[in-house]
């Protein structure tokens, strides 16, 4: 009932906004794959419009960019994911404290300070370009969301995270063609909600926002038809499932290259494609895209399971100062993109003469977001949105019981100057699970609700 009311309120806000002609922010960070948005920084937020940190060295143009980011978050229930919320913890659980006392999970509150979602990157391209020759460029981007090093002389509670690779690719471009090789955002379902609370992991992961950064080889082709333009993308990507339900993750202290996962053992890559159409509208452009993914994982000596998905993405300027954007998806075995609430396959191990049971989990969902430019100078921007990931209950087994994850959020971005942004964000998370009776999904199991408040202080260069 509470989730239904939450979604209804957000839809009413959306309808009122459209009815009164409020209007899309020009200049929010575009996050289509680089084949569409150009070789520009694509982290969430509003990057500086001038005074970029770049220069010419010999025959190359070098640009450094980044976000020094401090997040302060508080929650009324400790969410799964900590400083990057994934879903709410079931409220029926209890937390036991050092002195032996305990409380219900929904009576425990957290306050987290973290700077590990800070981002830095480098871009390089030729200082002079020619439209008749293939031009090379590259991008390398890191954050500090990596593992915490072990040191027997320092408390492990100290924040000493290692850098983590986000993007690392080079491109060859000539007129309407572009070839990309390296680690980049997936072609499939390329958009993410705009948020400074979730930079290391996009907002809405496991709650309707499919995403991945994967090594790939991709070709992009653009074509203009008068004022309209089209983009076709096709690529092969690393088939990395990382499904915790099947223990498809590297052991602690090892690299996955030394211990291939179930996707790698299929000897088939992910195949992805996307077709998008753009057209000028309300001083900006409307873009609508359709994309798909197909892959396999080998879970036995001769047995494979397919993974497939189809998604629609859109960015629509409803008026000069309002943008409506989002994605919707349907698919099966979506753990590689954190779909199905990070559940790809239901699995019950073999016992005696009873063979192992495996079933792909189908899921559908998506997210939608309104971006409202409150002032002409783009210094005051509001974001409102909802998301939902709904696995099919009939595909759930014992140990695989997450049945729905929905959330709503609202945020306010205030640019203090061209480099410094302050952002306030509230998100409400609604998580549901199913009990398993007789090997199939039964009555509702303990579920959870969480409210998370985040203050972000960002210096972008």
């Amino acid at each position: 009932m509470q989730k239904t009311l939450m979604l209804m309120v957000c839809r009413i806000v959306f309808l009122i906004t459209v009815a009164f002609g409020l209007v899309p922010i020009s200049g929010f960070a575009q996050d289509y794959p680089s084949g569409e948005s150009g070789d520009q920084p694509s982290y969430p937020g509003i990057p500086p419009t001038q005074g970029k940190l770049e220069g010419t060295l010999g025959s190359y143009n070098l640009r450094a960019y980044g976000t020094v980011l401090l997040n302060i978050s508080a929650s009324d229930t400790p969410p799964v994911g900590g400083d990057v919320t994934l879903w709410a913890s079931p409220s029926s659980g209890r937390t036991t404290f050092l002195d032996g006392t305990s409380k219900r999970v929904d009576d425990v509150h957290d306050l987290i300070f973290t700077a590990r979602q800070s981002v830095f990157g480098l871009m390089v391209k030729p200082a002079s370009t020619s439209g008749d020759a293939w031009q090379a460029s590259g991008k390398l981007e890191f954050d500090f969301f990596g593992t915490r090093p072990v040191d027997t002389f320092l408390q492990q509670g100290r924040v000493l995270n290692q850098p983590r690779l986000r993007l690392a690719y080079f491109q060859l471009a000539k007129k309407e063609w572009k070839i990309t090789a390296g680690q980049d955002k997936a072609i499939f379902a390329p958009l993410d909600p705009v948020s400074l609370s979730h930079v290391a992991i996009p907002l809405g992961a496991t709650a309707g926002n499919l995403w991945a950064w994967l090594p790939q080889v991709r070709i992009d082709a653009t074509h203009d038809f008068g004022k309209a333009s089209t983009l076709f993308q096709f690529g092969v990507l690393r088939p990395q499932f990382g499904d915790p339900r099947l223990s498809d993750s590297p052991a602690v202290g090892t690299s996955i290259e030394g211990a291939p996962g179930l996707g790698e053992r299929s000897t088939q890559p992910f195949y992805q494609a996307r077709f998008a159409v753009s057209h000028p509208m309300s001083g900006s452009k409307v873009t609508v895209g359709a994309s798909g993914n197909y892959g396999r994982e080998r879970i036995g000596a001769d047995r494979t399971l397919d993974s497939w998905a189809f998604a629609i993405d859109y960015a629509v300027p409803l008026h000069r100062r309002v943008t409506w954007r989002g994605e919707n998806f349907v698919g099966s075995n979506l753990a590689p993109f954190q779909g199905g609430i990070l559940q790809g396959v239901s699995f019950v191990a073999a016992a005696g003469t009873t063979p192992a049971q495996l079933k792909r989990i189908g899921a559908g969902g998506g997210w939608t977001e309104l971006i409202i430019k409150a002032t002409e100078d783009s210094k005051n921007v509001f974001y409102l949105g909802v998301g939902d990931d709904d696995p099919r209950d009939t595909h759930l087994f014992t140990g695989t019981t997450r049945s729905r994850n929905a959330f709503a959020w609202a945020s306010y971005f205030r640019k203090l100057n061209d480099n410094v942004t302050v952002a306030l964000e509230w998100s409400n998370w609604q998580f549901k699970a199913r009990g398993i009776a007789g090997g199939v999904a039964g009555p509702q199991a303990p579920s959870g609700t969480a409210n998370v408040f985040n203050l972000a202080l960002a210096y972008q260069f």
Side-chain angles (χ1 to χ4, degrees):
M1 180 67 181
Q2 186 177 0
K3 190 190 83 169
T4 302
L5 180 61
M6 172 190 69
L7 296 175
M8 185 180 297
V9 169
C10 290
R11 288 167 183 161
I12 290 173
V13 169
F14 168 75
L15 292 174
I16 291 175
T17 303
V18 174
F20 281 89
L22 294 176
V23 287
I25 163 175
S26 58
F28 70 87
Q30 190 62 266
D31 53 0
Y32 281 104
S34 53
E36 179 163 335
S37 63
D39 195 15
Q40 296 294 324
S42 58
Y43 48 82
I46 305 174
T49 57
Q50 56 190 358
K52 300 178 178 66
L53 181 57
E54 63 181 339
T56 300
L57 297 174
S59 58
Y60 293 95
N61 177 271
L62 181 66
R63 178 175 179 187
Y65 68 92
T67 301
V68 180
L69 177 62
L70 174 67
N71 278 304
I72 305 171
S73 64
S75 60
D76 60 359
T77 299
V80 174
D83 51 341
V84 285
T85 302
L86 298 177
W87 61 82
S89 301
S91 58
S92 64
R94 299 189 69 85
T95 296
T96 301
F97 297 95
L98 184 64
D99 63 356
T101 60
S102 66
K103 271 189 175 183
R104 283 171 54 96
V105 169
D106 53 2
D107 289 330
V108 178
H109 312 303
D110 282 343
L111 176 64
I112 298 175
F113 284 63
T114 180
R116 66 178 182 150
Q117 295 192 71
S118 297
V119 173
F120 68 95
L122 296 170
M123 296 185 300
V124 61
K125 61 182 179 181
S128 60
T129 59
S130 171
D132 297 327
W134 288 94
Q135 301 295 326
S137 62
K139 178 187 285 188
L140 193 62
E141 183 177 289
F142 296 86
D143 61 23
F144 296 91
F145 209 73
T147 59
R148 183 167 297 170
V150 175
D151 190 317
T152 56
F153 298 101
L154 285 175
Q155 302 95 320
Q156 294 307 297
R158 301 297 184 186
V159 182
L160 300 170
N161 295 81
Q162 297 173 336
R164 182 187 67 161
L165 183 67
R166 292 164 60 94
L167 305 175
Y169 63 81
F170 71 90
Q171 294 180 330
L172 292 171
K174 181 180 180 180
K175 295 183 179 179
E176 68 271 17
W177 295 95
K178 184 176 288 184
I179 299 172
T180 301
Q183 181 162 303
D184 196 4
K185 298 185 69 171
I187 303 169
F188 165 72
L191 296 183
D192 296 316
V194 177
S195 172
L196 283 175
S197 72
H198 287 62
V199 176
I201 295 174
L203 181 64
T206 75
N209 179 27
L210 303 185
W211 74 284
W213 299 326
L214 292 171
Q216 61 189 270
V217 177
R218 181 180 80 236
I219 185 168
D220 301 351
T222 58
H223 191 77
D224 294 332
F225 296 92
K227 293 183 179 180
S229 63
T230 62
L231 169 66
F232 176 73
Q233 299 172 291
F234 175 79
V236 291
L237 298 83
R238 182 174 185 166
Q240 193 172 46
F241 279 78
D243 191 339
R245 301 284 114 184
L246 301 180
S247 300
D248 180 28
S249 298
V252 175
T254 65
S255 69
I256 198 166
E257 283 77 12
L262 303 182
E264 285 83 356
R265 290 196 179 121
S266 72
T267 67
Q268 291 287 332
F270 285 152
Y271 300 96
Q272 294 190 357
R274 177 173 176 265
F275 180 77
V277 179
S278 298
H279 192 277
M281 179 177 177
S282 300
S284 182
K285 67 177 181 178
V286 56
T287 300
V288 178
S291 58
N293 172 81
Y294 177 78
R296 290 180 180 175
E297 60 178 334
R298 184 170 295 277
I299 49 82
D302 300 303
R303 185 174 181 179
T304 61
L305 292 176
D306 293 343
S307 170
W308 69 270
F310 176 77
I312 297 291
D313 60 85
Y314 53 89
V316 183
L318 300 175
H319 203 276
R320 186 169 51 86
R321 288 162 57 185
V322 172
T323 292
W324 176 38
R325 59 198 294 274
E327 293 176 337
N328 294 93
F329 74 88
V330 64
S332 179
N333 193 6
L334 300 179
F337 313 102
Q338 294 201 325
I341 321 180
L342 197 51
Q343 302 170 119
V345 175
S346 293
F347 173 68
V348 177
T353 59
T354 304
Q357 301 179 60
L358 293 124
K359 183 183 293 187
R360 292 179 302 153
I361 298 175
W367 60 272
T368 190
E369 173 183 56
L370 272 180
I371 304 175
I372 305 170
K373 176 183 172 182
T375 55
E376 285 286 354
D377 59 9
S378 298
K379 290 185 177 181
N380 298 277
V381 184
F382 290 91
Y383 301 83
L384 305 169
V386 294
D388 187 21
D389 191 334
D390 189 9
R392 294 190 63 180
D393 289 356
T394 54
H395 294 173
L396 304 179
F397 288 165
T398 300
T400 314
T401 60
R402 302 170 199 150
S403 89
R404 194 162 195 177
N405 190 25
F407 80 118
W409 79 94
S411 62
Y412 166 60
F413 280 49
R414 167 64 181 175
K415 290 204 73 174
L416 301 183
N417 59 36
D418 201 38
N419 298 91
V420 178
T421 300
V422 177
L424 295 169
E425 181 182 284
W426 161 82
S427 57
N428 176 273
W429 301 79
Q430 304 284 334
F431 172 76
K432 291 186 177 180
R434 285 287 178 188
I436 304 297
V440 298
Q444 183 172 313
S447 302
T449 300
N451 289 286
V452 180
F453 301 88
N454 188 86
L455 170 64
L457 305 170
Y459 174 79
Q460 297 170 304
F461 60 90

